[in-house]
Amino acid sequence: MKLKIVMSSRIRDKAVDELTAEYVKRMGAYAECSVVEAFSPNKAKQLPLLLKAGEGMLVGMDPKGKRFTSEKFAAWLEKKLEEYGGVTFFIGEADGLHEELKARLDDTVSLSDMTMAHRISLVVLAEQLYRALTIIKGHPYHK
């Protein structure tokens, strides 16, 4: 099982980086997980970087995407990991995901109806992925 979070920007925030790294480390007990910064100041070069980073099922984080409870997200994730072997989640910049990337996604997921900074989305997604893995494995973290 492989999970990947691809940021189309740089993290540039030590607190966000440290907290995300903690959840990625915790996920390591259940699945291979990584965070990739696929950033280029040249927008024409951005799409190839994003696509190269993606593997398995491609999922965009989008406010209009599917909404889940933690339990339903865990069930969805378990099914997708079994089907694809891995899932890559893309987090866009302030203006959202690259339009051409959107056309190549297998699905979209929403973290909240509220707007949040993409760096905060990274932490929330990392925590929810860890939570989903603990639900799947029957670990008491979720309770």
Side-chain angles (χ1 to χ4, degrees):
M1 291 191 306
K2 208 172 198 179
L3 295 171
K4 189 181 285 191
I5 303 171
V6 178
M7 296 285 293
S8 58
S9 64
R10 300 212 188 280
I11 297 172
R12 292 190 191 153
D13 185 319
K14 185 177 179 183
V16 168
D17 190 40
E18 288 174 356
L19 192 51
T20 302
E22 177 62 27
Y23 285 114
V24 168
K25 178 181 166 189
R26 291 181 187 188
M27 282 186 267
Y30 306 107
E32 184 180 333
C33 184
S34 61
V35 176
V36 175
E37 294 175 342
F39 172 77
S40 174
N42 180 336
K43 292 296 179 188
K45 293 181 180 178
Q46 184 85 30
L47 182 63
L49 286 174
L50 292 167
L51 292 174
K52 183 179 179 187
E55 57 187 293
M57 181 183 190
L58 306 181
V59 179
M61 303 309 296
D62 189 294
K64 296 176 185 149
K66 290 180 180 172
R67 290 167 172 77
F68 297 103
T69 63
S70 293
E71 294 86 351
K72 288 185 179 176
F73 179 63
W76 176 88
L77 182 63
E78 183 175 31
K79 180 180 175 188
K80 300 308 178 186
L81 286 169
E82 287 171 3
E83 186 177 342
Y84 290 87
V87 180
T88 299
F89 294 89
F90 293 93
I91 298 176
E93 294 183 79
D95 55 350
L97 296 167
H98 193 290
E99 286 302 317
E100 289 181 55
L101 174 64
K102 282 183 181 181
R104 298 178 189 210
L105 296 174
D106 297 305
D107 211 344
T108 57
V109 170
S110 174
L111 291 172
S112 172
D113 288 338
M114 291 187 242
T115 302
M116 63 180 85
H118 51 281
R119 288 171 182 86
I120 299 304
S121 296
L122 171 61
V123 174
V124 173
L125 177 59
E127 193 279 337
Q128 285 300 303
L129 287 170
Y130 174 65
R131 181 176 299 274
L133 291 172
T134 62
I135 291 169
I136 292 166
K137 298 298 184 182
H139 187 278
Y141 175 81
H142 179 60
K143 302 208 183 287

